[in-house]
Amino acid sequence: AFSPPTRPPAPATRLHVVSPDLARGLAAGAASMEALALTAAVPMAVNAASERSRRAAARAKAEEEAREAIAERRRLVEERAAQQEADEKLKAEQKAQLAERIAAAKAEELRVQKNQEAVLKAEKEREAAKKAEVRAAVAAREAAAKEAAAKEVAAAKEAAARRAAAEAR
């Protein structure tokens, strides 16, 4: 049968040295491990410093790229705004030219209309003058006819008066 040990086991921190050579070997091993840890710590510190500088460089590069992107966006926005302003100016000029042409066309139409009105007025005046001439000619013929009739009547009366005077003699 199995029986548990009567003494508690030795603590793990206690070193059981068998021989002085082993003790020296263990001490040398511990010293070399410590030296190794120190030599490993230096590159680790260097690695940590280089990692920090690499991260700082990456951060600076990212910030620079962000600034460049912002500047590029700003430049594009400014170009777009300048292009829009130029387009609006061109549209305004085109509207002004169109308004000018419309005004010129309206003025020409008005001038032509006034000319047509003046021509129509002159034609009406000519027609009125012709009608007045015709009326005057008709009136003159009527007056001449009346005068001729009056002369005939006067001549007939005179002839009748002469006959009556001749008969009376």
Side-chain angles (χ1 to χ4, degrees):
F2 176 74
S3 64
T6 55
R7 273 192 318 178
T13 56
R14 188 181 240 180
L15 232 135
H16 298 282
V17 178
V18 176
S19 70
D21 288 336
L22 183 59
R24 276 194 299 274
L26 286 175
S32 70
M33 288 296 282
E34 193 175 317
L36 185 63
L38 285 176
T39 57
V42 169
M44 287 171 68
V46 169
N47 282 346
S50 69
E51 180 66 19
R52 280 194 301 273
S53 68
R54 189 189 63 73
R55 284 184 186 158
R59 189 170 34 252
K61 184 178 179 184
E63 288 173 358
E64 179 63 29
E65 287 173 356
R67 277 194 294 274
E68 287 175 1
I70 290 169
E72 180 67 17
R73 270 188 253 131
R74 193 173 290 145
R75 186 186 62 77
L76 288 174
V77 166
E78 288 171 358
E79 281 180 6
R80 210 173 294 130
Q83 183 63 39
Q84 192 173 5
E85 188 176 322
D87 289 347
E88 287 174 2
K89 191 181 280 188
L90 182 64
K91 282 182 186 176
E93 287 175 6
Q94 288 174 344
K95 278 184 181 178
Q97 289 174 353
L98 182 63
E100 212 173 278
R101 284 194 297 250
I102 289 172
K106 282 184 179 178
E108 179 66 20
E109 186 179 324
L110 188 63
R111 187 183 64 74
V112 167
Q113 187 179 355
K114 283 184 178 181
N115 284 347
Q116 287 175 344
E117 287 174 1
V119 167
L120 288 174
K121 187 176 178 184
E123 285 179 11
K124 283 181 183 178
E125 287 175 358
R126 278 195 295 272
E127 286 177 18
K130 282 182 184 177
K131 286 179 183 176
E133 274 183 44
V134 168
R135 276 193 233 114
V138 168
R141 276 188 296 230
E142 287 176 358
K146 281 182 184 177
E147 194 177 315
K151 281 184 183 177
E152 282 181 25
V153 169
K157 281 183 183 177
E158 196 177 310
R162 274 193 220 140
R163 263 186 256 130
E167 284 178 13
R169 282 193 220 159

